[in-house]
Amino acid sequence: MIRYDTIVIGAGAAGLTTACQLAQAGQKVVVVATGIGALLLASGCIDVLGFHPADSTQPVTNPADALDKFMAARSNHPYKVIGRENIEAGLQSFLKIVNQTGCHYRGEFNRNWLLPSGAGAVHPTCLAPDALTKGELSSGKSMLIVGFQELRDFYPTLISQNLNEQDLGVKAGAVSVDVYIPASSKMNATPIELANAFEQTDFRKQVVNAIKNEAKKFDRVGFPAVLGLKQHDAVVTELEKALDRPVFEISALPPSVPGRRMYEALKKALLNAGGRLIIGSKVFDGTIENGKVSQIRIETASRLRPLKAHNYVLATGGIFGGGLNANADGSVKELVFGLPVAAETNRHKWFQRQFISPEGQPVFNAGVTVNPQLQPVNGGNAPLADNLYAVGAILAGSEWTRGRTGDGIAVASAAAVASQLAR
């Protein structure tokens, strides 16, 4: 049986970022996951702190400056345990990992990009793909928002109207394109199908011909985030040349194309560093004996297969990612090791009366409590297992909508654990 240095359970942003850093440090690492986590539900950006207080309508422009006030107001937030140094280190590590694979991200800890969202709101984010940053709202440059009649849930007129009504100093216009999208059913194209279509020369020409006259009235052109998967850079370059102006992307509803690009970049970095990735095998359980994890077992076609390592990193996500299971009786369970979960047991208190609440939904604060080393505990600082660590949304208090901090938790906790295990 192969014995690894570290087994990472979960292939979302937190798990893959942790594994990449360990593999690049020379460890023998394997990532095991049922799927690719919540990356296809995400924007593809790294949000560190977007709004504070939670009900504020003014976005945070400098997350580094606002962080201390945020942590003082939310003493149970994972940032409090992870610490400012690891947040900054996590951002730098993430940039290094993805940019070396050709997936270009930009940003820094002391500045938020202010980007248009798929609803025409302002999305403050710390790190973003290059194609999204060209939509920066503070630049004052006018923009034409392009939609597609076959793409549901992306409405260019709604986006432009909302941007114009916010007095952001940016003039926005809209156009909807009716072109044939290969491999899609009429009026029901998915973002992935549209991204594949953009990698075809004839399709790009149709789009350019449909919008080029209107595009001349604006400084830049914004598309839903569907400008190619494997040939993304080439697609953007050719569109900019044909339209003679900058082209940018706006995050759309899932499945997220930028999220898929992020996954592919992290996967490539892991494999290039000698790491291993097992996708599609559910982790059935893990065994803790005498204060240590002795093994995990994964499901295969014919049997449960044991895997062993010196250390284990739990990155299975919260309720969204499938790492936790909330039951009708009010219990919330961690599904691999059966770890104790900090959660509200009265399920009638899991949700706010307002569905879209700036305070978020309390149920998503459920998670595993950890010590300063990010080892799961059950009260106090003594770890339940000396060689078990937790990162990402599995951590208690990780409700991401309150402040927009989910991706920051992922990369910061990954950096904190990777630095310990690499030593």
Side-chain angles (χ1 to χ4, degrees), residues 58-78:
Q58 295 299 316
V60 170
T61 57
N62 187 327
D65 280 353
L67 195 63
D68 288 340
K69 290 182 179 179
F70 174 79
M71 290 193 293
R74 289 196 64 186
S75 59
N76 64 336
H77 193 274

Side-chain angles (χ1 to χ4, degrees), residues 248-316:
F248 66 94
E249 291 185 312
I250 300 174
S251 294
L253 289 182
S256 167
V257 174
R260 182 58 185 260
R261 292 187 203 128
M262 181 197 291
Y263 166 75
E264 295 295 341
L266 293 172
K267 173 184 173 181
K268 182 178 180 180
L270 174 65
L271 298 180
N272 286 347
R276 186 182 178 194
L277 181 64
I278 301 175
I279 293 288
S281 293
K282 179 182 177 181
V283 178
F284 182 76
D285 63 13
T287 303
I288 298 177
E289 298 176 316
N290 301 318
K292 286 185 176 294
V293 177
S294 58
Q295 69 173 24
I296 63 169
R297 293 190 297 172
I298 65 174
E299 294 179 347
T300 66
S302 60
R303 63 187 177 90
L304 294 176
R305 176 188 171 194
L307 293 177
K308 295 188 176 184
H310 297 293
N311 294 294
Y312 300 78
V313 179
L314 186 65
T316 48

Side-chain angles (χ1 to χ4, degrees), residues 141-147 154 156-157 159-160 163 170-177 207-208 210-224 243 245-250:
K141 294 182 179 180
S142 63
M143 56 177 66
L144 174 66
I145 311 299
V146 180
F154 188 91
T157 301
I159 296 171
S160 63
L163 291 174
V170 176
K171 173 189 173 184
V175 62
S176 185
V177 179
V207 174
V208 168
I211 68 172
K212 61 183 179 181
N213 289 333
E214 188 67 18
K216 292 177 182 178
K217 305 174 186 177
F218 297 87
D219 298 321
R220 49 187 169 166
V221 180
F223 291 87
L243 295 169
R245 54 211 356 94
V247 164
F248 66 94
E249 291 185 312
I250 300 174

Side-chain angles (χ1 to χ4, degrees), residues 17-18 21-22 25 27 82 85-86 89-90 93 313 372-374 389 391 411-423:
T17 307
T18 304
Q21 292 175 71
L22 292 174
Q27 284 205 11
I82 295 168
E85 291 184 2
N86 284 316
S93 295
V313 179
Q373 290 72 44
L374 298 189
Y389 302 81
V391 296
V411 299
S413 58
V417 169
S419 65
Q420 295 179 69
L421 298 186
R423 292 194 296 266

